[in-house]
Amino acid sequence: MAKYSLSANHCLSSGYQSEVLRGWQSSNTNVTPDQLVYPVFVTDEDADAKQPIEGFPDQYRYGINTLITTLKPLCDKGLKSVLLFGVTKLPKDNEGSGASHSQTTVIQAIRAIRTHLPELVIICDVCLCAYTNHGHCGVLDEDGSINNESSIERLAEVASSYAKAGCDIVAPSDMMDGRIGAIKAALRRCNLMSKVAVMSYSAKFASCFYGPFRSAAKSAPGKGDRKGYQLPPGSRGLAVRANDRDVAEGADYLMVKPGMPYLDIVRDTKNKFPNHPLAVYQVSGEYTMLHQAAAVGAFDLRQVVMESLQCMRRAGADILITYFTPQILDWLKEDKK
């Protein structure tokens, strides 16, 4: 039997036989502290709280005091940005009034961070689900359906309240039609449009990977689901159109959520909007899945986390939102030794 003669231009392995060469073959997939955003849950139940979250390993709801003491050493290690989610004891209603209350936990957190960690970039999630008595992301009509116009007006009020408190970026995650335009208009009215950016959850899918988050934020819908306003998992076209819409309305940053199952959408988005910074959210279910699998020895946690983030970077992500941020900061510091 004749031996196969390998063509010289089909011999690829010679190009990645050392760490340096492998790095050259993996351009623009590096992970640095500047790219990381740490999502944190802030509660108003107790300023000194550090509440474990069932089903969400090593994640906590922090009171204002423990939030600062937790973030300070991370900033010393290179943390540049946080994404804030509020968990409140304020009364809940159809409009989510507590989201923009002057004493709501997110506004308290913004002020505390501005005082104690002024260089930290503050991103505020903008949604109503954690503040409504029905757990949906918008205002409901009497028949239980979403009232889109009332919802985007309310979301714009919430975004403005966070902007006035001193955040750098508002990040609407609700997926209501027209909310980017409504928020931009509200920021213009309070003379903050040129000072506070909008990061749109522009391609957010109706995913089962959000389970641990909803427990953390106490934001699960009381009835029904969110399939009527979050994107169907199998829809590529709607993701393209949603990104188009939010760019047209003035979004400064785009986002794909979840991350790993939707890397095709990440690449689609980056190809179409190369000049818009793109965030990918490695969501609570992805985090827990990797964490638990590593705990039983399926693989090494550090290796699998860094591989997953490198793949997100390869697909086009500029910004990595991940609950693994504290560990990653340690790993990156170890790599420099």
Side-chain angles (χ1 to χ4, degrees):
M1 182 176 180
K3 290 184 178 180
Y4 174 69
S5 180
L6 179 65
S7 172
N9 60 349
H10 290 173
C11 181
L12 306 180
S13 57
S14 58
Y16 50 92
Q17 289 301 302
S18 74
E19 283 297 325
V20 171
L21 298 186
R22 285 189 284 274
W24 291 350
Q25 299 283 2
S26 307
S27 59
N28 299 320
T29 62
N30 60 313
V31 176
T32 70
D34 289 359
Q35 297 155 350
L36 299 174
V37 176
Y38 185 28
V40 290
F41 302 94
V42 191
T43 179
D44 56 7
E45 290 186 11
D46 178 358
D48 296 314
K50 185 178 179 181
Q51 303 170 349
I53 302 167
E54 185 177 358
F56 203 174
D58 295 338
Q59 297 300 308
Y60 304 90
R61 300 183 196 93
Y62 296 101
I64 297 299
N65 293 341
T66 48
L67 174 69
I68 299 304
T69 57
T70 297
L71 294 179
K72 175 105 178 37
L74 296 180
C75 290
D76 292 340
K77 295 175 184 178
L79 179 68
K80 298 295 194 298
S81 179
V82 290
L83 173 58
L84 299 179
F85 295 94
V87 185
T88 187
K89 63 182 180 182
L90 292 171
K92 299 186 178 186
D93 55 27
N94 184 41
E95 291 77 30
S97 301
S100 56
H101 191 282
S102 61
Q103 293 303 310
T104 197
T105 181
V106 172
I107 290 177
Q108 292 183 54
I110 295 169
R111 291 169 177 162
I113 293 171
R114 276 283 165 261
T115 299
H116 299 285
L117 301 167
E119 300 304 314
L120 194 61
V121 172
I122 304 172
I123 308 171
C124 291
D125 180 84
V126 177
C127 199
L128 302 182
C129 58
Y131 304 91
T132 58
N133 53 13
H134 45 71
H136 281 282
C137 301
V139 177
L140 299 187
D141 280 332
E142 290 185 4
D143 64 359
S145 63
I146 291 284
N147 183 316
N148 195 84
E149 293 303 312
S150 297
S151 296
I152 63 174
E153 180 180 351
R154 181 74 192 104
L155 290 159
E157 292 173 355
V158 174
S160 297
S161 70
Y162 297 162
K164 290 175 183 176
C167 75
D168 300 285
I169 301 173
V170 290
S173 60
D174 56 284
M175 290 300 287
M176 301 294 128
D177 291 324
R179 86 265 201 227
I180 303 302
I183 289 170
K184 280 286 188 175
L187 292 174
R188 181 193 294 274
R189 287 193 296 272
C190 55
N191 198 32
L192 289 171
M193 190 173 70
S194 63
K195 298 177 181 178
V196 177
V198 178
M199 177 183 285
S200 173
Y201 287 66
S202 51
K204 179 180 177 180
F205 291 83
S207 172
C208 64
F209 282 93
Y210 304 147
F213 173 93
R214 291 175 181 173
S215 174
K218 301 181 180 180
S219 62
K223 292 183 180 179
D225 53 41
R226 294 170 180 160
K227 295 179 180 178
Y229 44 96
Q230 295 178 0
L231 302 179
S235 175
R236 197 169 190 171
L238 277 174
V240 172
R241 292 169 61 193
N243 281 314
D244 278 339
R245 175 197 64 196
D246 291 359
V247 168
E249 291 180 13
D252 300 288
Y253 301 87
L254 303 176
M255 187 194 301
V256 175
K257 178 184 180 183
M260 285 192 296
Y262 296 91
L263 294 184
D264 60 323
I265 306 300
V266 176
R267 176 41 59 189
D268 285 348
T269 304
K270 196 60 183 177
N271 283 346
K272 186 159 190 182
F273 300 105
N275 298 319
H276 277 69
L278 177 59
V280 174
Y281 199 145
Q282 187 178 53
V283 300
S284 60
E286 296 175 76
Y287 166 89
T288 303
M289 179 174 63
L290 297 180
H291 194 288
Q292 300 291 58
V296 298
F299 37 59
D300 177 80
L301 183 63
R302 175 175 177 169
Q303 289 182 358
V304 76
V305 169
M306 297 309 292
E307 179 181 338
S308 68
L309 297 181
Q310 187 178 42
C311 291
M312 292 174 187
R313 291 278 290 129
R314 185 197 65 221
D318 303 294
I319 302 160
L320 302 166
I321 305 172
T322 174
Y323 299 97
F324 286 114
T325 292
Q327 294 98 314
I328 296 166
L329 291 171
D330 285 335
W331 296 334
L332 294 176
K333 192 172 182 180
E334 289 171 9
D335 287 343
K336 288 185 177 180
K337 291 181 180 179

